Amino acid sequence: MPSRTEPDIERLVADVWTAGLATEADLRAAAARVPRRRGSRLLLEVLDDGAPRTRSEAERVLQALIRRAALPRPRTNVRIAGFEVDAYWPDSRLVVEVDSWRFHGSRRSFEADRRRRWRLQGSGVRVEHVTWRQLTQRPEETVALLAVAIAQGAAGTAIR
């Protein structure tokens, strides 16, 4: 059986959280019960590193790009101004939403996304959007733009 890698374990943890099958405490307790079992140490490392709570393949791709680029890890799927956001960098006051045509291609979704953006910005955070195509077809450019947005937010400057 091939050994699991960190992204594999992160995906499994995200799937378990999304399905509501276990909490972080449950996973830590399970790993502690079998400390010598293959994967227990890696699971604890992923949890200690703040395993992203992703809900979609696009969010997982974003997290993989962030990890490979050694950018600061965001908080994921947290609530801000009453909305759950995909990625949030508190120090930069930056929210990044991952959009795909599949889930954001209707009039209703389009309108809801605009209301959401206004409310989030009104709470004092900047909102940037990335698309599935940007993540998969232009990953280097997407990472570069994301790095600038994080740095500008941390420095207290606006994106122009």
Side-chain angles (χ1 to χ4, degrees), residues 9-50:
I9 298 296
E10 284 183 357
R11 180 183 201 134
L12 290 171
V13 167
D15 289 346
V16 165
W17 281 336
T18 299
L21 299 174
T23 65
E24 180 175 343
D26 295 332
L27 294 174
R28 287 184 182 282
R33 282 193 300 272
V34 289
R36 296 178 204 264
R37 184 174 290 257
R38 183 175 45 187
S40 291
R41 183 181 56 78
L42 183 56
L43 173 59
L44 289 173
E45 287 175 9
V46 165
L47 293 171
D48 288 344
D49 194 32

Side-chain angles (χ1 to χ4, degrees), residues 1 7 19 26 31 33-34 42 45 49 51 57-58 60 71 86-87 89 91 93 103 108 121 131 149 157:
M1 173 181 241
D26 295 332
R33 282 193 300 272
V34 289
L42 183 56
E45 287 175 9
D49 194 32
E57 184 62 24
R60 285 187 275 278
L71 292 175
D86 295 332
W89 286 263
D91 292 344
R93 304 281 300 153
F103 295 107
R108 181 178 172 180
Q121 288 178 329
T131 67
T157 59

Side-chain angles (χ1 to χ4, degrees), residues 79-117:
R79 294 192 75 74
I80 299 174
F83 295 100
E84 187 172 287
V85 299
D86 295 332
Y88 176 54
W89 286 263
D91 292 344
S92 298
R93 304 281 300 153
L94 174 67
V95 166
V96 170
E97 292 287 275
V98 180
D99 298 335
S100 68
W101 186 251
R102 179 177 175 199
F103 295 107
H104 298 267
S106 70
R107 168 64 64 186
R108 181 178 172 180
S109 179
F110 179 84
E111 295 294 334
D113 285 348
R114 297 311 156 296
R115 283 191 307 275
R116 175 185 173 99
R117 183 182 183 110

